[in-house]
Amino acid sequence: MTTSDSIPQYALGSTDAEHERLIWQAERFAPLTERLFREAGIGPGQRVLDIGSGVGDVALLAARLVGSSGEVVGIERDARSIARAQARVTDAGLHNVSFVQCDLSQIPDSKSFDAAVGRFILMWLPDPVSVLRSVSRLVRPGGVLAFQEPYWAPLLSLLAPLPLWSAAASLIYKTFQLSGADPDLGPALYQAFQEAGLPGPAMRLEMPMGKGPGFAQWFYDILCTLRPQILKFNLPIGPLGDLDTLVERLQVEGRFSDSVVCFPPPVGAWARKHAD
Ligand SMILES: C[S@@+](CC[C@H](N)C(=O)[O-])C[C@H]1O[C@@H](n2cnc3c(N)ncnc32)[C@H](O)[C@@H]1O
């Protein structure tokens, strides 16, 4: 099912399990996102737009940086995700974070923002440049655009010597691609910013690595989320064996290898919009 002929179905969906996965993932990526936002100059008193806000983790992080004198507006088209995000904002006792339900191609005009941000969102869009361009119009001259998008190539290379990890990673990568997502958008952000009329951004790649149990858990969780898509595309999930024991088998393979494993590394890119 598609919402329109041109907009592919969002592959990760919006189940309760996916919401929990996003929150779990956000805890691991928060330090990377915070470093990027601080480097980009996001701070107290600013008004920040968060696109593709999901269940609100980036908006909550930005709210901490801008403080009570600032404001954060999240854009998200999925009503269930917004309900969860709004409940988390209420639980956190925040009054300066709100969400607008709409597609990113139809963000309503509003008072200008000091910054527009997003994490793991442009990779899902059929035309990330046009969204960057329209979002940048909502940012004041001299304001900031800061995004984090994945770069799977180094992950695939690092995991190549580990057959089970490599099979899991390749299956996820292929499913993303067939779902219309670009799992290697990260490094292409430089050109995307320029095509959107922005200066070439400052960029960094950060790759969390190690041997801890969290890495296997991330792969298992995303495979569970993607399972309906994997089946829809007739991709071979059988070679991974019983998913119920996948985390354990990944950990064993990692433990007895010289290599480390990793999360998909995000590329952070930020630029300041030309002053008029
Ligand atoms: C991978 S989640 C990322 C959520 C959040 N940025 C984070 O890092 O935790 C992407 C979110 O973007 C939303 N999304 C995808 N395409 C969208 C579109 N065209 N318009 C609005 N929201 C969209 C999805 O519903 C989903 O909640």
Side-chain angles (χ1 to χ4, degrees):
M1 189 181 76
T2 55
T3 46
S4 88
D5 286 347
S6 59
I7 303 175
Q9 184 189 28
Y10 173 63
L12 300 181
S14 180
T15 60
D16 289 348
E18 171 58 10
H19 291 174
E20 294 311 316
R21 192 196 69 78
L22 277 177
I23 292 168
W24 187 93
Q25 172 180 275
E27 282 167 15
R28 270 83 199 159
F29 284 98
L32 287 65
T33 305
E34 181 167 343
R35 271 195 284 283
L36 175 73
F37 287 0
R38 285 189 187 278
E39 183 185 314
I42 295 172
Q46 293 185 354
R47 187 162 191 263
V48 176
L49 178 70
D50 170 34
I51 67 165
S53 50
V55 290
D57 288 281
V58 173
L60 286 164
L61 191 158
R64 200 152 44 75
L65 297 182
V66 301
S68 55
S69 59
E71 183 189 355
V72 181
V73 178
I75 305 290
E76 168 60 54
R77 71 177 171 202
D78 178 64
R80 291 190 77 251
S81 299
I82 291 196
R84 184 71 194 271
Q86 193 54 64
R88 296 175 74 206
V89 164
T90 304
D91 286 350
L94 295 170
H95 301 286
N96 57 346
V97 182
S98 59
F99 298 93
V100 176
Q101 187 185 353
C102 70
D103 192 273
L104 293 174
S105 57
Q106 290 160 356
I107 304 177
D109 266 348
S110 82
K111 202 171 87 183
S112 72
F113 291 91
D114 299 298
V117 302
R119 182 175 67 194
F120 304 145
I121 176 60
L122 299 175
M123 65 178 285
W124 296 104
L125 306 179
D127 189 352
V129 171
S130 82
V131 169
L132 262 182
R133 193 179 295 120
S134 61
V135 162
S136 79
R137 287 194 199 108
L138 303 173
V139 174
R140 67 166 169 80
V144 158
L145 287 101
F147 288 87
Q148 272 182 321
E149 298 296 335
Y151 183 27
W152 272 66
L155 173 147
L156 295 173
S157 159
L158 184 75
L159 299 181
L162 302 170
L164 189 57
W165 283 88
S166 189
S170 300
L171 182 58
I172 295 163
Y173 185 79
K174 188 79 194 155
T175 311
F176 279 161
Q177 286 183 317
L178 290 175
S179 305
D182 181 355
D184 286 313
L185 181 63
L189 287 174
Y190 194 93
Q191 193 171 343
F193 269 56
Q194 289 202 311
E195 285 178 17
L198 293 161
M203 294 172 74
R204 61 159 78 220
L205 172 71
E206 269 197 85
M207 182 141 148
M209 292 190 272
K211 282 186 184 266
F215 296 103
Q217 190 65 42
W218 186 89
F219 278 78
Y220 169 77
D221 287 346
I222 193 102
L223 279 165
C224 291
T225 289
L226 287 174
R227 203 161 188 276
Q229 300 291 315
I230 293 170
L231 298 177
K232 179 177 113 184
F233 296 127
N234 255 324
L235 292 170
I237 196 166
L240 294 185
D242 182 359
L243 279 196
D244 289 346
T245 60
L246 183 66
V247 170
E248 204 179 308
R249 286 179 292 117
L250 285 171
Q251 278 173 346
V252 169
E253 189 180 67
R255 199 174 307 135
F256 292 104
S257 148
D258 294 341
S259 180
V260 288
V261 296
C262 59
F263 291 131
V267 171
W270 73 272
R272 213 165 264 291
K273 184 175 162 179
H274 297 290
D276 277 343

